[in-house]
Amino acid sequence: MNHDTTCPDAEARTTSTGSVFGAPCWVSLTSFDLDATERFYGAVLGWRWRTASLGDRFRIALADGTPVAGVAAVATMWQMAVAWTPYFAARDADEAVARVKERGGTAAVGPISFTTGRAALLADRDGATFGVWEGQLVAHWERWRRAAPTFIRLHTRDAFAAAIFYGEVFDWASGRPGGVEVEYEGGEVVLRSEDTIVARIDSGALGSAPDPTIRPHWRVHFVVADVGACVRAAELHGGSVLSKGSDEALLRDPDGALFTVTSRRER
């Protein structure tokens, strides 16, 4: 989702969802308190911040000067849980929402209009939340994709059924230029955009599980240099650690949003 409407260079001006349709194009966090969110993620991930031209409720997170994610203080206004959400590029937001509903998913918010495009917040038929964005992408988005500071994974009941659902919504495996390619590796669905792995889908989630780490959900992963340092910082700044390994950890921020830090970069 594009929280930033500034366009300082040609790269930012020419990248739109129509040219990368179906691909993950942004990740966004809903928040109750922007200042507290900035402090936590600044300490844990080393992010710096800039305001977005959409207004005081929005911020852009920067990692080494590259836009990484958006934060929107809309959780209270929209009466929604604090969570990290991936957004997918859509050529037509209305059509994407209609396709989701036709296939048993739900629309929570939108499509709503912003200066540079339209967005909607949705859930698939197993309850995993995701968004769609139609319009101009965030400034330096191509740099964001090349640097791959983020990666997303869907943990769902049936990876192949989910691939069919999302494929029909976003025209995956259409063969059209700019589209997403679908591959199968050892029981997982692997998504590629311009020959780069951009997401994975795996099976095994339980639809009625009270534990948010077990029921169907999209998980956002952030690539970091030192997983251990992120774990320590999260604990020191009010977060919690749900699981930890040598190269990956599942963390919860003080408001309850789950995210993963990893030293592994998908390619």
Side-chain angles (χ1 to χ4, degrees):
M1 181 177 180
N2 184 356
H3 293 323
D4 185 13
T5 60
T6 58
C7 302
D9 56 28
E11 176 184 89
R13 287 193 297 271
T14 58
T15 306
S16 69
T17 56
S19 62
V20 290
F21 65 93
C25 64
W26 194 237
V27 292
S28 185
L29 174 67
T30 49
S31 169
F32 292 123
D33 185 333
L34 280 178
D35 291 337
T37 296
E38 287 185 10
R39 288 193 296 271
F40 176 81
Y41 286 96
V44 175
L45 297 176
W47 287 349
R48 298 293 181 263
W49 301 89
R50 74 172 184 229
T51 57
S53 53
L54 291 180
D56 293 339
R57 290 181 177 271
F58 298 91
R59 298 286 190 278
I60 300 293
L62 305 174
D64 298 325
T66 299
V68 179
V71 178
V74 296
T76 301
M77 180 176 66
W78 289 347
Q79 297 182 345
M80 61 196 304
V82 170
W84 279 103
T85 302
Y87 280 76
F88 293 82
R91 288 177 294 189
D92 186 314
D94 289 308
E95 182 179 3
V97 170
R99 290 183 179 185
V100 167
K101 292 179 177 179
E102 289 168 358
R103 289 158 180 78
T106 57
V109 179
I112 54 177
S113 296
F114 295 91
T115 305
T116 55
R118 306 178 72 230
L121 184 64
L122 310 164
D124 66 24
R125 55 192 171 211
D126 288 321
T129 302
F130 65 101
V132 297
W133 173 255
E134 171 202 351
Q136 179 186 309
L137 295 174
V138 70
H140 305 294
W141 182 80
E142 287 289 355
R143 186 191 305 168
W144 172 80
R145 178 159 69 171
R146 288 194 299 270
T150 63
F151 179 77
I152 62 172
R153 176 184 286 273
L154 175 62
H155 186 52
T156 189
R157 291 188 306 108
D158 185 323
F160 301 107
I164 293 172
F165 172 88
Y166 286 94
E168 291 176 344
V169 171
F170 294 119
D171 290 328
W172 290 350
S174 67
R176 298 174 184 171
V180 170
E181 302 166 6
V182 179
E183 300 173 355
Y184 301 94
E185 293 181 359
E188 284 192 339
V189 177
V190 180
L191 307 178
R192 290 182 180 270
S193 176
E194 295 188 358
D195 296 324
T196 297
I197 296 176
V198 293
R200 291 180 181 268
I201 303 175
D202 62 48
S203 303
L206 301 176
S208 59
D211 185 345
T213 67
I214 297 176
R215 63 177 178 258
H217 66 284
W218 282 99
R219 177 77 50 76
V220 177
H221 298 240
F222 295 104
V223 178
V224 299
D226 189 334
V227 171
C230 293
V231 166
R232 292 188 293 273
E235 292 176 322
L236 285 172
H237 292 83
S240 55
V241 181
L242 278 68
S243 64
K244 179 173 62 174
S246 60
D247 58 2
E248 191 167 284
L250 173 59
L251 307 179
R252 177 185 283 130
D253 73 16
D255 285 327
L258 303 178
F259 64 103
T260 294
V261 292
T262 180
S263 60
R264 296 176 293 179
R265 189 180 294 278
E266 288 283 349
R267 279 291 181 267

